[in-house]
Amino acid sequence: MPELAEVEFYRKRWHLAARGERIRHVDVHAQARVFRGCDPAVLVRALQGSTVEDSAARAKQMVFRFRRPGLRSADVWVGLHLGMSGELTVAAGHHRAGPHDHVVLRTSGGKALVFSDPRMFGRVQFHTGTAAPDWWSGIAPAILSPDFTFASVVDFLQRRRRAPIKAVLLMQERFPGIGNWMADEILWRAAVHPARAAGTLSPAEIRRLWKETRHVARSALVTIAGRGDRLPRDLNVNIPRTWLFKHRWRKGGKCPLTGTPLAHATIGGRTTCWSPARQQE
DNA sequence: GTGCTTGTTGGCCA
DNA sequence: GTGGCCAACAAGCA
């Protein structure tokens, strides 16, 4: 599930519960695939006794920064990617780790921060140092940053001109945080058929796509993750029925704008939903 | 049993 | 070297 806005929702959930607390104990499923490329034993040793300093989300990735009392200059950076089925929850301190709970951080405030991921496409990364690690600082500039310019999208679509626009929107190097449902939402709002080759879009269509990419990113963040320190009780509780999101998986789902039936097919290797009345090939 | 699934990566091929 | 496609990864669900 987790795309840009869901990642921010989960980050905030841990952040609001744990900011400033000390990690008293760490449980890991050391053999879980989510630890590929990092040694869970080192992670446990580094986090034990540290304090949750702050956190951030970028694209589909987040980082939590911990401070160790003895290490003045070096922070501990823990990166989390939620893959297809990852979740962050906050449970009571005595929470017993289930089979899919790969990391449990028990805090001085009597809480358990749980990272669970049944399918294990998610990933834990880890770094100690004063500067941010490459896996964090190398993430493409955010869609809502000034670097996400119309010209940069024009260039990128030209470079990927033969690929279906749906596949291009999923490329994290230019559209960081966009996943399957957000890509469909953007194309639907921009009235562009998902199977169109990226190089065939007119300047006006690219402009709509660029504008709607930013709109969907901005409104998904506010709707799903809330504003400021407020966190919705659930991920989907505030999503309006005017979004394609609310209709795309229903059998016999209808386009909320035209009232006509939605279509489904595999495009760019991914399940895609669109409104044929609105998005013409 | 079958056939899906909101993600990413590496290998193959043009 | 670049770009595009697809299988693989794994577990749950209908």
Side-chain angles (χ1 to χ4, degrees):
Chain A
M1 173 191 297
E3 303 180 20
L4 186 75
E6 289 98 342
V7 169
E8 172 60 6
F9 173 89
Y10 289 124
R11 180 202 67 84
K12 225 163 124 180
R13 181 188 256 174
W14 265 25
H15 184 92
L16 293 175
R19 181 177 36 187
E21 300 210 356
R22 195 167 50 81
I23 304 303
R24 292 175 45 185
H25 192 262
V26 182
D27 293 321
V28 294
H29 275 165
Q31 75 295 354
R33 221 176 80 90
V34 296
F35 293 109
R36 60 198 181 278
C38 110
D39 181 348
V42 177
L43 174 76
V44 170
R45 274 202 302 279
L47 288 185
Q48 220 106 257
S50 68
T51 304
V52 184
E53 203 65 18
D54 64 13
S55 66
R58 285 185 191 169
K60 297 174 191 170
Q61 179 104 244
M62 59 195 125
V63 71
F64 290 85
R65 199 161 53 81
F66 298 82
R67 186 150 289 174
R68 309 236 315 156
L71 290 172
R72 284 192 75 90
S73 58
D75 290 335
V76 180
W77 307 69
V78 176
L80 296 175
H81 193 296
L82 299 173
M84 288 277 248
S85 57
E87 276 187 13
L88 301 187
T89 53
V90 177
H94 53 73
H95 172 80
R96 251 182 111 104
H100 306 308
D101 298 341
H102 307 305
V103 179
V104 181
L105 306 178
R106 301 182 198 279
T107 73
S108 52
K111 296 164 196 155
L113 311 177
V114 184
F115 166 47
S116 59
D117 182 10
R119 291 177 68 183
M120 293 191 285
F121 290 169
R123 177 172 212 150
V124 179
Q125 281 167 299
F126 165 69
H127 168 79
T128 303
T130 45
D134 289 349
W135 51 255
W136 180 252
S137 42
I139 295 173
I143 286 164
L144 296 176
S145 78
D147 290 340
F148 185 75
T149 60
F150 174 65
S152 72
V153 172
V154 171
D155 281 357
F156 192 70
L157 265 54
Q158 185 52 29
R159 194 143 62 83
R160 302 295 187 157
R161 68 187 85 101
R162 295 183 195 286
I165 187 64
K166 167 66 185 273
V168 174
L169 278 173
L170 294 174
M171 293 178 183
Q172 301 298 297
E173 63 204 272
R174 180 47 63 196
F175 298 97
I178 300 301
N180 205 31
W181 79 257
M182 287 179 88
D184 286 353
E185 199 80 29
I186 291 162
L187 290 167
W188 172 71
R189 290 187 59 98
V192 173
H193 192 286
R196 294 266 306 278
T200 67
L201 270 64
S202 70
E205 287 174 320
I206 302 177
R207 193 163 284 280
R208 291 208 302 270
L209 192 83
W210 171 66
K211 197 170 141 249
E212 297 302 346
T213 299
R214 299 200 303 170
H215 173 86
V216 169
R218 194 180 303 115
S219 56
L221 277 168
V222 171
T223 305
I224 290 170
R227 288 181 202 275
D229 274 0
R230 295 190 47 178
L231 187 71
R233 138 177 71 82
D234 177 74
L235 280 170
N236 299 338
V237 72
N238 291 328
I239 296 181
R241 293 192 52 79
T242 51
W243 292 19
L244 180 65
F245 184 95
K246 282 286 202 181
H247 309 265
R248 53 175 297 141
W249 293 288
R250 306 164 83 98
K251 228 187 161 83
K254 300 233 168 58
C255 169
L257 274 173
T258 65
T260 54
L262 294 171
H264 298 85
T266 299
I267 297 173
R270 308 298 302 280
T271 302
T272 301
C273 173
W274 73 97
S275 169
R278 182 173 166 73
Q279 300 159 266
Q280 326 237 309
E281 184 115 36

